[in-house]
Amino acid sequence: MKKFLLAGLLAIVASGTMFGQLTQGEPTAKKIRTGNRAEAGDFGLYLGVSSDMFKNIFKDDIEISPLPLVNFKYMMTDQWEARIGVEFSKTKEKIGGDALIGSEETVDYNYKQVVSDNRISPGFAYHFSRHNILDVYAGAELPIGWTRSSVYAESDESSFSTTKNGFQIGLGAFIGLQAHIADLPLAIGVEYGISTMFDGGLKYKSKYKDGNTEQTSYSPDLDAFSEGFKGNIDYDNFDSLKARRGEVGNQFRITLTYYFK
């Protein structure tokens, strides 16, 4: 009987010691390195290649591949981000000299063409969680663009000019995710968005002068529309014209962002 009582006391003491060791122990955890997250006050330089750019590369009428999108970001808080994207392009050509129009006759000839295409896209994004390995966010943007195309040709007795001034405005929404690379201030990610776009001013205004004669006419920018023009209409000779277009589309982007203070 004494042996049983002694064994019971030893078991109680041992269990008390074990519980004491468990309650006094400190928990340990290992941190997974997921890179440097952007915080309030950080700036970001965003480079993106969109799906539209991949399609344009294979078009026959484009000689130079378009540059990637360039966006600037600013973290207003740890989760709210303000951004603005810019796209600018301009081409200018000039020709001038004495043009031979006969066996010996020449005329003073001048030609100039300017084409510009510009767009700014202000927007914002909300980053949902700062504890996930992947940074998930969603936002909206308001693209605003304007284009200008002008051609002017002049000889000794006549001149011809054609101009087009177009504008664009739209509204888009997007979702995205990005992963910060190690301890570097870099993040690589993807974005998918849906947007609407309204194009106005898709018409050319032409003026022709020859001596005392001056003629003004309008024509639509046929390249901006689908092949739906039928009939016996002279599209180069409108006395007045309205030409505009609206569309809804989507876009996929691959992004690379560099963050800095």
PDB file of all heavy atoms in Angstrom, residues 18-54:
ATOM      1  N   MET A  18       5.975  19.390 -14.971  1.00  0.00           N
ATOM      2  CA  MET A  18       5.747  19.495 -16.416  1.00  0.00           C
ATOM      3  C   MET A  18       4.861  20.676 -16.748  1.00  0.00           C
ATOM      4  O   MET A  18       5.132  21.451 -17.664  1.00  0.00           O
ATOM      5  CB  MET A  18       5.120  18.195 -16.930  1.00  0.00           C
ATOM      6  CG  MET A  18       6.058  16.999 -16.892  1.00  0.00           C
ATOM      7  SD  MET A  18       5.210  15.476 -17.312  1.00  0.00           S
ATOM      8  CE  MET A  18       4.726  15.849 -18.992  1.00  0.00           C
ATOM      9  N   PHE A  19       3.769  20.856 -15.996  1.00  0.00           N
ATOM     10  CA  PHE A  19       2.890  21.993 -16.248  1.00  0.00           C
ATOM     11  C   PHE A  19       3.597  23.313 -16.014  1.00  0.00           C
ATOM     12  O   PHE A  19       3.392  24.292 -16.719  1.00  0.00           O
ATOM     13  CB  PHE A  19       1.635  21.901 -15.367  1.00  0.00           C
ATOM     14  CG  PHE A  19       0.617  20.924 -15.876  1.00  0.00           C
ATOM     15  CD1 PHE A  19       0.234  19.845 -15.099  1.00  0.00           C
ATOM     16  CD2 PHE A  19       0.062  21.082 -17.136  1.00  0.00           C
ATOM     17  CE1 PHE A  19      -0.693  18.929 -15.565  1.00  0.00           C
ATOM     18  CE2 PHE A  19      -0.877  20.161 -17.605  1.00  0.00           C
ATOM     19  CZ  PHE A  19      -1.257  19.083 -16.818  1.00  0.00           C
ATOM     20  N   GLY A  20       4.458  23.334 -14.984  1.00  0.00           N
ATOM     21  CA  GLY A  20       5.212  24.552 -14.709  1.00  0.00           C
ATOM     22  C   GLY A  20       6.132  24.893 -15.865  1.00  0.00           C
ATOM     23  O   GLY A  20       6.285  26.050 -16.253  1.00  0.00           O
ATOM     24  N   GLN A  21       6.774  23.891 -16.455  1.00  0.00           N
ATOM     25  CA  GLN A  21       7.654  24.149 -17.579  1.00  0.00           C
ATOM     26  C   GLN A  21       6.866  24.626 -18.798  1.00  0.00           C
ATOM     27  O   GLN A  21       7.308  25.489 -19.533  1.00  0.00           O
ATOM     28  CB  GLN A  21       8.430  22.871 -17.900  1.00  0.00           C
ATOM     29  CG  GLN A  21       9.455  22.500 -16.838  1.00  0.00           C
ATOM     30  CD  GLN A  21      10.123  21.191 -17.136  1.00  0.00           C
ATOM     31  OE1 GLN A  21       9.690  20.445 -18.020  1.00  0.00           O
ATOM     32  NE2 GLN A  21      11.193  20.876 -16.402  1.00  0.00           N
ATOM     33  N   LEU A  22       5.664  24.067 -19.024  1.00  0.00           N
ATOM     34  CA  LEU A  22       4.856  24.478 -20.178  1.00  0.00           C
ATOM     35  C   LEU A  22       4.355  25.896 -20.030  1.00  0.00           C
ATOM     36  O   LEU A  22       4.364  26.680 -20.990  1.00  0.00           O
ATOM     37  CB  LEU A  22       3.675  23.515 -20.348  1.00  0.00           C
ATOM     38  CG  LEU A  22       4.024  22.101 -20.827  1.00  0.00           C
ATOM     39  CD1 LEU A  22       2.780  21.238 -20.824  1.00  0.00           C
ATOM     40  CD2 LEU A  22       4.639  22.142 -22.212  1.00  0.00           C
ATOM     41  N   THR A  23       3.903  26.309 -18.875  1.00  0.00           N
ATOM     42  CA  THR A  23       3.357  27.645 -18.695  1.00  0.00           C
ATOM     43  C   THR A  23       4.455  28.699 -18.698  1.00  0.00           C
ATOM     44  O   THR A  23       4.218  29.854 -19.007  1.00  0.00           O
ATOM     45  CB  THR A  23       2.585  27.727 -17.374  1.00  0.00           C
ATOM     46  OG1 THR A  23       3.439  27.311 -16.290  1.00  0.00           O
ATOM     47  CG2 THR A  23       1.368  26.816 -17.405  1.00  0.00           C
ATOM     48  N   GLN A  24       5.685  28.328 -18.337  1.00  0.00           N
ATOM     49  CA  GLN A  24       6.767  29.300 -18.316  1.00  0.00           C
ATOM     50  C   GLN A  24       7.486  29.411 -19.661  1.00  0.00           C
ATOM     51  O   GLN A  24       8.278  30.306 -19.872  1.00  0.00           O
ATOM     52  CB  GLN A  24       7.788  28.907 -17.238  1.00  0.00           C
ATOM     53  CG  GLN A  24       7.225  29.029 -15.835  1.00  0.00           C
ATOM     54  CD  GLN A  24       8.204  28.547 -14.804  1.00  0.00           C
ATOM     55  OE1 GLN A  24       9.312  28.122 -15.142  1.00  0.00           O
ATOM     56  NE2 GLN A  24       7.813  28.587 -13.514  1.00  0.00           N
ATOM     57  N   GLY A  25       7.209  28.502 -20.591  1.00  0.00           N
ATOM     58  CA  GLY A  25       7.892  28.550 -21.881  1.00  0.00           C
ATOM     59  C   GLY A  25       7.401  29.723 -22.733  1.00  0.00           C
ATOM     60  O   GLY A  25       6.252  30.142 -22.648  1.00  0.00           O
ATOM     61  N   GLU A  26       8.274  30.319 -23.584  1.00  0.00           N
ATOM     62  CA  GLU A  26       7.950  31.441 -24.462  1.00  0.00           C
ATOM     63  C   GLU A  26       7.777  30.948 -25.886  1.00  0.00           C
ATOM     64  O   GLU A  26       8.621  30.205 -26.400  1.00  0.00           O
ATOM     65  CB  GLU A  26       9.058  32.488 -24.410  1.00  0.00           C
ATOM     66  CG  GLU A  26       9.219  33.140 -23.038  1.00  0.00           C
ATOM     67  CD  GLU A  26      10.288  34.203 -23.048  1.00  0.00           C
ATOM     68  OE1 GLU A  26      10.914  34.381 -24.130  1.00  0.00           O
ATOM     69  OE2 GLU A  26      10.506  34.848 -22.019  1.00  0.00           O
ATOM     70  N   PRO A  27       6.669  31.338 -26.557  1.00  0.00           N
ATOM     71  CA  PRO A  27       6.435  30.886 -27.939  1.00  0.00           C
ATOM     72  C   PRO A  27       7.459  31.490 -28.893  1.00  0.00           C
ATOM     73  O   PRO A  27       7.946  32.606 -28.698  1.00  0.00           O
ATOM     74  CB  PRO A  27       5.023  31.397 -28.257  1.00  0.00           C
ATOM     75  CG  PRO A  27       4.831  32.560 -27.334  1.00  0.00           C
ATOM     76  CD  PRO A  27       5.594  32.223 -26.082  1.00  0.00           C
ATOM     77  N   THR A  28       7.789  30.751 -29.926  1.00  0.00           N
ATOM     78  CA  THR A  28       8.712  31.222 -30.949  1.00  0.00           C
ATOM     79  C   THR A  28       8.041  31.131 -32.307  1.00  0.00           C
ATOM     80  O   THR A  28       7.155  30.304 -32.534  1.00  0.00           O
ATOM     81  CB  THR A  28       9.997  30.385 -30.968  1.00  0.00           C
ATOM     82  OG1 THR A  28       9.648  29.031 -31.255  1.00  0.00           O
ATOM     83  CG2 THR A  28      10.721  30.464 -29.625  1.00  0.00           C
ATOM     84  N   ALA A  29       8.446  32.011 -33.253  1.00  0.00           N
ATOM     85  CA  ALA A  29       7.893  31.997 -34.611  1.00  0.00           C
ATOM     86  C   ALA A  29       8.952  32.501 -35.573  1.00  0.00           C
ATOM     87  O   ALA A  29       9.778  33.335 -35.223  1.00  0.00           O
ATOM     88  CB  ALA A  29       6.643  32.875 -34.700  1.00  0.00           C
ATOM     89  N   LYS A  30       8.938  31.993 -36.753  1.00  0.00           N
ATOM     90  CA  LYS A  30       9.850  32.443 -37.786  1.00  0.00           C
ATOM     91  C   LYS A  30       9.111  33.362 -38.754  1.00  0.00           C
ATOM     92  O   LYS A  30       7.994  33.061 -39.166  1.00  0.00           O
ATOM     93  CB  LYS A  30      10.417  31.252 -38.551  1.00  0.00           C
ATOM     94  CG  LYS A  30      11.324  30.362 -37.707  1.00  0.00           C
ATOM     95  CD  LYS A  30      11.904  29.240 -38.561  1.00  0.00           C
ATOM     96  CE  LYS A  30      12.832  28.371 -37.727  1.00  0.00           C
ATOM     97  NZ  LYS A  30      13.405  27.275 -38.540  1.00  0.00           N
ATOM     98  N   LYS A  31       9.727  34.484 -39.161  1.00  0.00           N
ATOM     99  CA  LYS A  31       9.111  35.431 -40.069  1.00  0.00           C
ATOM    100  C   LYS A  31       9.501  35.102 -41.506  1.00  0.00           C
ATOM    101  O   LYS A  31      10.663  34.851 -41.801  1.00  0.00           O
ATOM    102  CB  LYS A  31       9.550  36.867 -39.752  1.00  0.00           C
ATOM    103  CG  LYS A  31       9.058  37.362 -38.390  1.00  0.00           C
ATOM    104  CD  LYS A  31       9.476  38.805 -38.161  1.00  0.00           C
ATOM    105  CE  LYS A  31       8.961  39.317 -36.833  1.00  0.00           C
ATOM    106  NZ  LYS A  31       9.372  40.741 -36.600  1.00  0.00           N
ATOM    107  N   ILE A  32       8.517  35.102 -42.342  1.00  0.00           N
ATOM    108  CA  ILE A  32       8.766  34.855 -43.763  1.00  0.00           C
ATOM    109  C   ILE A  32       9.065  36.181 -44.447  1.00  0.00           C
ATOM    110  O   ILE A  32       8.268  37.108 -44.391  1.00  0.00           O
ATOM    111  CB  ILE A  32       7.547  34.182 -44.421  1.00  0.00           C
ATOM    112  CG1 ILE A  32       7.276  32.846 -43.729  1.00  0.00           C
ATOM    113  CG2 ILE A  32       7.773  33.974 -45.909  1.00  0.00           C
ATOM    114  CD1 ILE A  32       6.023  32.163 -44.232  1.00  0.00           C
ATOM    115  N   ARG A  33      10.206  36.285 -45.099  1.00  0.00           N
ATOM    116  CA  ARG A  33      10.592  37.525 -45.769  1.00  0.00           C
ATOM    117  C   ARG A  33       9.801  37.664 -47.062  1.00  0.00           C
ATOM    118  O   ARG A  33       9.877  36.833 -47.949  1.00  0.00           O
ATOM    119  CB  ARG A  33      12.088  37.510 -46.089  1.00  0.00           C
ATOM    120  CG  ARG A  33      12.982  37.200 -44.896  1.00  0.00           C
ATOM    121  CD  ARG A  33      13.007  38.324 -43.889  1.00  0.00           C
ATOM    122  NE  ARG A  33      13.618  39.507 -44.434  1.00  0.00           N
ATOM    123  CZ  ARG A  33      13.887  40.603 -43.712  1.00  0.00           C
ATOM    124  NH1 ARG A  33      13.592  40.638 -42.423  1.00  0.00           N
ATOM    125  NH2 ARG A  33      14.435  41.649 -44.272  1.00  0.00           N
ATOM    126  N   THR A  34       9.022  38.721 -47.162  1.00  0.00           N
ATOM    127  CA  THR A  34       8.204  38.946 -48.365  1.00  0.00           C
ATOM    128  C   THR A  34       8.511  40.287 -49.023  1.00  0.00           C
ATOM    129  O   THR A  34       7.728  40.780 -49.805  1.00  0.00           O
ATOM    130  CB  THR A  34       6.711  38.896 -48.012  1.00  0.00           C
ATOM    131  OG1 THR A  34       6.424  39.890 -47.003  1.00  0.00           O
ATOM    132  CG2 THR A  34       6.313  37.530 -47.507  1.00  0.00           C
ATOM    133  N   GLY A  35       9.646  40.891 -48.710  1.00  0.00           N
ATOM    134  CA  GLY A  35      10.010  42.135 -49.368  1.00  0.00           C
ATOM    135  C   GLY A  35       9.542  43.347 -48.592  1.00  0.00           C
ATOM    136  O   GLY A  35       8.897  43.262 -47.551  1.00  0.00           O
ATOM    137  N   ASN A  36       9.893  44.536 -49.096  1.00  0.00           N
ATOM    138  CA  ASN A  36       9.556  45.787 -48.443  1.00  0.00           C
ATOM    139  C   ASN A  36       8.239  46.317 -48.987  1.00  0.00           C
ATOM    140  O   ASN A  36       8.155  46.685 -50.156  1.00  0.00           O
ATOM    141  CB  ASN A  36      10.664  46.819 -48.680  1.00  0.00           C
ATOM    142  CG  ASN A  36      11.979  46.386 -48.053  1.00  0.00           C
ATOM    143  OD1 ASN A  36      11.973  45.743 -47.015  1.00  0.00           O
ATOM    144  ND2 ASN A  36      13.086  46.721 -48.686  1.00  0.00           N
ATOM    145  N   ARG A  37       7.214  46.348 -48.165  1.00  0.00           N
ATOM    146  CA  ARG A  37       5.920  46.881 -48.584  1.00  0.00           C
ATOM    147  C   ARG A  37       5.986  48.404 -48.640  1.00  0.00           C
ATOM    148  O   ARG A  37       6.625  49.059 -47.822  1.00  0.00           O
ATOM    149  CB  ARG A  37       4.825  46.455 -47.598  1.00  0.00           C
ATOM    150  CG  ARG A  37       4.493  44.969 -47.645  1.00  0.00           C
ATOM    151  CD  ARG A  37       3.837  44.611 -48.970  1.00  0.00           C
ATOM    152  NE  ARG A  37       3.412  43.219 -49.007  1.00  0.00           N
ATOM    153  CZ  ARG A  37       2.159  42.833 -48.779  1.00  0.00           C
ATOM    154  NH1 ARG A  37       1.241  43.723 -48.501  1.00  0.00           N
ATOM    155  NH2 ARG A  37       1.841  41.574 -48.838  1.00  0.00           N
ATOM    156  N   ALA A  38       5.277  48.974 -49.618  1.00  0.00           N
ATOM    157  CA  ALA A  38       5.188  50.427 -49.701  1.00  0.00           C
ATOM    158  C   ALA A  38       4.329  50.949 -48.555  1.00  0.00           C
ATOM    159  O   ALA A  38       3.327  50.331 -48.185  1.00  0.00           O
ATOM    160  CB  ALA A  38       4.587  50.831 -51.048  1.00  0.00           C
ATOM    161  N   GLU A  39       4.720  52.088 -47.992  1.00  0.00           N
ATOM    162  CA  GLU A  39       4.018  52.674 -46.861  1.00  0.00           C
ATOM    163  C   GLU A  39       3.614  54.101 -47.184  1.00  0.00           C
ATOM    164  O   GLU A  39       3.965  54.638 -48.239  1.00  0.00           O
ATOM    165  CB  GLU A  39       4.919  52.640 -45.612  1.00  0.00           C
ATOM    166  CG  GLU A  39       5.332  51.241 -45.188  1.00  0.00           C
ATOM    167  CD  GLU A  39       6.279  51.256 -44.015  1.00  0.00           C
ATOM    168  OE1 GLU A  39       6.850  52.340 -43.738  1.00  0.00           O
ATOM    169  OE2 GLU A  39       6.457  50.209 -43.372  1.00  0.00           O
ATOM    170  N   ALA A  40       2.872  54.692 -46.289  1.00  0.00           N
ATOM    171  CA  ALA A  40       2.413  56.073 -46.464  1.00  0.00           C
ATOM    172  C   ALA A  40       3.610  56.992 -46.688  1.00  0.00           C
ATOM    173  O   ALA A  40       4.599  56.931 -45.961  1.00  0.00           O
ATOM    174  CB  ALA A  40       1.616  56.515 -45.247  1.00  0.00           C
ATOM    175  N   GLY A  41       3.520  57.841 -47.717  1.00  0.00           N
ATOM    176  CA  GLY A  41       4.599  58.754 -48.041  1.00  0.00           C
ATOM    177  C   GLY A  41       5.561  58.262 -49.093  1.00  0.00           C
ATOM    178  O   GLY A  41       6.413  59.029 -49.550  1.00  0.00           O
ATOM    179  N   ASP A  42       5.447  57.002 -49.516  1.00  0.00           N
ATOM    180  CA  ASP A  42       6.330  56.448 -50.545  1.00  0.00           C
ATOM    181  C   ASP A  42       5.836  56.821 -51.939  1.00  0.00           C
ATOM    182  O   ASP A  42       4.627  56.891 -52.194  1.00  0.00           O
ATOM    183  CB  ASP A  42       6.402  54.928 -50.437  1.00  0.00           C
ATOM    184  CG  ASP A  42       7.177  54.473 -49.215  1.00  0.00           C
ATOM    185  OD1 ASP A  42       7.834  55.328 -48.592  1.00  0.00           O
ATOM    186  OD2 ASP A  42       7.112  53.272 -48.889  1.00  0.00           O
ATOM    187  N   PHE A  43       6.781  57.048 -52.836  1.00  0.00           N
ATOM    188  CA  PHE A  43       6.492  57.264 -54.249  1.00  0.00           C
ATOM    189  C   PHE A  43       6.813  55.991 -55.024  1.00  0.00           C
ATOM    190  O   PHE A  43       7.628  55.172 -54.577  1.00  0.00           O
ATOM    191  CB  PHE A  43       7.312  58.425 -54.815  1.00  0.00           C
ATOM    192  CG  PHE A  43       6.951  59.767 -54.253  1.00  0.00           C
ATOM    193  CD1 PHE A  43       7.562  60.253 -53.109  1.00  0.00           C
ATOM    194  CD2 PHE A  43       5.981  60.551 -54.873  1.00  0.00           C
ATOM    195  CE1 PHE A  43       7.237  61.495 -52.588  1.00  0.00           C
ATOM    196  CE2 PHE A  43       5.651  61.799 -54.361  1.00  0.00           C
ATOM    197  CZ  PHE A  43       6.275  62.267 -53.211  1.00  0.00           C
ATOM    198  N   GLY A  44       6.201  55.853 -56.190  1.00  0.00           N
ATOM    199  CA  GLY A  44       6.477  54.699 -57.025  1.00  0.00           C
ATOM    200  C   GLY A  44       6.527  55.079 -58.485  1.00  0.00           C
ATOM    201  O   GLY A  44       5.723  55.908 -58.952  1.00  0.00           O
ATOM    202  N   LEU A  45       7.468  54.512 -59.197  1.00  0.00           N
ATOM    203  CA  LEU A  45       7.560  54.665 -60.645  1.00  0.00           C
ATOM    204  C   LEU A  45       7.140  53.338 -61.266  1.00  0.00           C
ATOM    205  O   LEU A  45       7.754  52.305 -61.027  1.00  0.00           O
ATOM    206  CB  LEU A  45       8.989  55.010 -61.066  1.00  0.00           C
ATOM    207  CG  LEU A  45       9.239  55.151 -62.576  1.00  0.00           C
ATOM    208  CD1 LEU A  45       8.413  56.294 -63.149  1.00  0.00           C
ATOM    209  CD2 LEU A  45      10.713  55.376 -62.860  1.00  0.00           C
ATOM    210  N   TYR A  46       6.090  53.400 -62.065  1.00  0.00           N
ATOM    211  CA  TYR A  46       5.402  52.204 -62.549  1.00  0.00           C
ATOM    212  C   TYR A  46       5.601  52.082 -64.048  1.00  0.00           C
ATOM    213  O   TYR A  46       5.319  53.019 -64.798  1.00  0.00           O
ATOM    214  CB  TYR A  46       3.936  52.362 -62.169  1.00  0.00           C
ATOM    215  CG  TYR A  46       2.889  51.546 -62.868  1.00  0.00           C
ATOM    216  CD1 TYR A  46       2.061  50.711 -62.141  1.00  0.00           C
ATOM    217  CD2 TYR A  46       2.655  51.658 -64.231  1.00  0.00           C
ATOM    218  CE1 TYR A  46       1.053  49.999 -62.742  1.00  0.00           C
ATOM    219  CE2 TYR A  46       1.655  50.939 -64.846  1.00  0.00           C
ATOM    220  CZ  TYR A  46       0.855  50.117 -64.090  1.00  0.00           C
ATOM    221  OH  TYR A  46      -0.137  49.404 -64.704  1.00  0.00           O
ATOM    222  N   LEU A  47       6.132  50.959 -64.493  1.00  0.00           N
ATOM    223  CA  LEU A  47       6.268  50.661 -65.912  1.00  0.00           C
ATOM    224  C   LEU A  47       5.372  49.476 -66.234  1.00  0.00           C
ATOM    225  O   LEU A  47       5.418  48.455 -65.542  1.00  0.00           O
ATOM    226  CB  LEU A  47       7.719  50.336 -66.273  1.00  0.00           C
ATOM    227  CG  LEU A  47       8.749  51.426 -66.017  1.00  0.00           C
ATOM    228  CD1 LEU A  47      10.138  50.915 -66.357  1.00  0.00           C
ATOM    229  CD2 LEU A  47       8.443  52.660 -66.835  1.00  0.00           C
ATOM    230  N   GLY A  48       4.574  49.608 -67.275  1.00  0.00           N
ATOM    231  CA  GLY A  48       3.664  48.533 -67.627  1.00  0.00           C
ATOM    232  C   GLY A  48       3.611  48.299 -69.117  1.00  0.00           C
ATOM    233  O   GLY A  48       3.705  49.236 -69.908  1.00  0.00           O
ATOM    234  N   VAL A  49       3.476  47.051 -69.512  1.00  0.00           N
ATOM    235  CA  VAL A  49       3.287  46.679 -70.911  1.00  0.00           C
ATOM    236  C   VAL A  49       1.894  46.087 -71.026  1.00  0.00           C
ATOM    237  O   VAL A  49       1.575  45.105 -70.349  1.00  0.00           O
ATOM    238  CB  VAL A  49       4.344  45.651 -71.366  1.00  0.00           C
ATOM    239  CG1 VAL A  49       4.117  45.285 -72.823  1.00  0.00           C
ATOM    240  CG2 VAL A  49       5.747  46.220 -71.183  1.00  0.00           C
ATOM    241  N   SER A  50       1.045  46.704 -71.872  1.00  0.00           N
ATOM    242  CA  SER A  50      -0.348  46.286 -71.956  1.00  0.00           C
ATOM    243  C   SER A  50      -0.571  45.335 -73.125  1.00  0.00           C
ATOM    244  O   SER A  50       0.241  45.238 -74.050  1.00  0.00           O
ATOM    245  CB  SER A  50      -1.262  47.515 -72.115  1.00  0.00           C
ATOM    246  OG  SER A  50      -1.056  48.122 -73.377  1.00  0.00           O
ATOM    247  N   SER A  51      -1.700  44.651 -73.100  1.00  0.00           N
ATOM    248  CA  SER A  51      -2.059  43.733 -74.178  1.00  0.00           C
ATOM    249  C   SER A  51      -2.282  44.479 -75.491  1.00  0.00           C
ATOM    250  O   SER A  51      -2.017  43.947 -76.570  1.00  0.00           O
ATOM    251  CB  SER A  51      -3.310  42.951 -73.793  1.00  0.00           C
ATOM    252  OG  SER A  51      -4.376  43.832 -73.428  1.00  0.00           O
ATOM    253  N   ASP A  52      -2.768  45.729 -75.439  1.00  0.00           N
ATOM    254  CA  ASP A  52      -2.946  46.519 -76.663  1.00  0.00           C
ATOM    255  C   ASP A  52      -1.624  46.769 -77.362  1.00  0.00           C
ATOM    256  O   ASP A  52      -1.551  46.797 -78.595  1.00  0.00           O
ATOM    257  CB  ASP A  52      -3.611  47.864 -76.330  1.00  0.00           C
ATOM    258  CG  ASP A  52      -5.075  47.696 -75.958  1.00  0.00           C
ATOM    259  OD1 ASP A  52      -5.635  46.619 -76.240  1.00  0.00           O
ATOM    260  OD2 ASP A  52      -5.643  48.626 -75.374  1.00  0.00           O
ATOM    261  N   MET A  53      -0.555  46.955 -76.590  1.00  0.00           N
ATOM    262  CA  MET A  53       0.755  47.193 -77.188  1.00  0.00           C
ATOM    263  C   MET A  53       1.253  45.962 -77.927  1.00  0.00           C
ATOM    264  O   MET A  53       1.857  46.066 -78.993  1.00  0.00           O
ATOM    265  CB  MET A  53       1.748  47.607 -76.105  1.00  0.00           C
ATOM    266  CG  MET A  53       1.468  48.964 -75.508  1.00  0.00           C
ATOM    267  SD  MET A  53       2.659  49.410 -74.241  1.00  0.00           S
ATOM    268  CE  MET A  53       2.105  51.065 -73.849  1.00  0.00           C
ATOM    269  N   PHE A  54       1.003  44.771 -77.382  1.00  0.00           N
ATOM    270  CA  PHE A  54       1.406  43.553 -78.076  1.00  0.00           C
ATOM    271  C   PHE A  54       0.682  43.429 -79.410  1.00  0.00           C
ATOM    272  O   PHE A  54       1.267  43.009 -80.413  1.00  0.00           O
ATOM    273  CB  PHE A  54       1.125  42.335 -77.201  1.00  0.00           C
ATOM    274  CG  PHE A  54       2.094  42.163 -76.067  1.00  0.00           C
ATOM    275  CD1 PHE A  54       1.678  42.320 -74.756  1.00  0.00           C
ATOM    276  CD2 PHE A  54       3.420  41.857 -76.313  1.00  0.00           C
ATOM    277  CE1 PHE A  54       2.572  42.163 -73.714  1.00  0.00           C
ATOM    278  CE2 PHE A  54       4.319  41.698 -75.271  1.00  0.00           C
ATOM    279  CZ  PHE A  54       3.888  41.853 -73.966  1.00  0.00           C
TER     280      PHE A  54
END
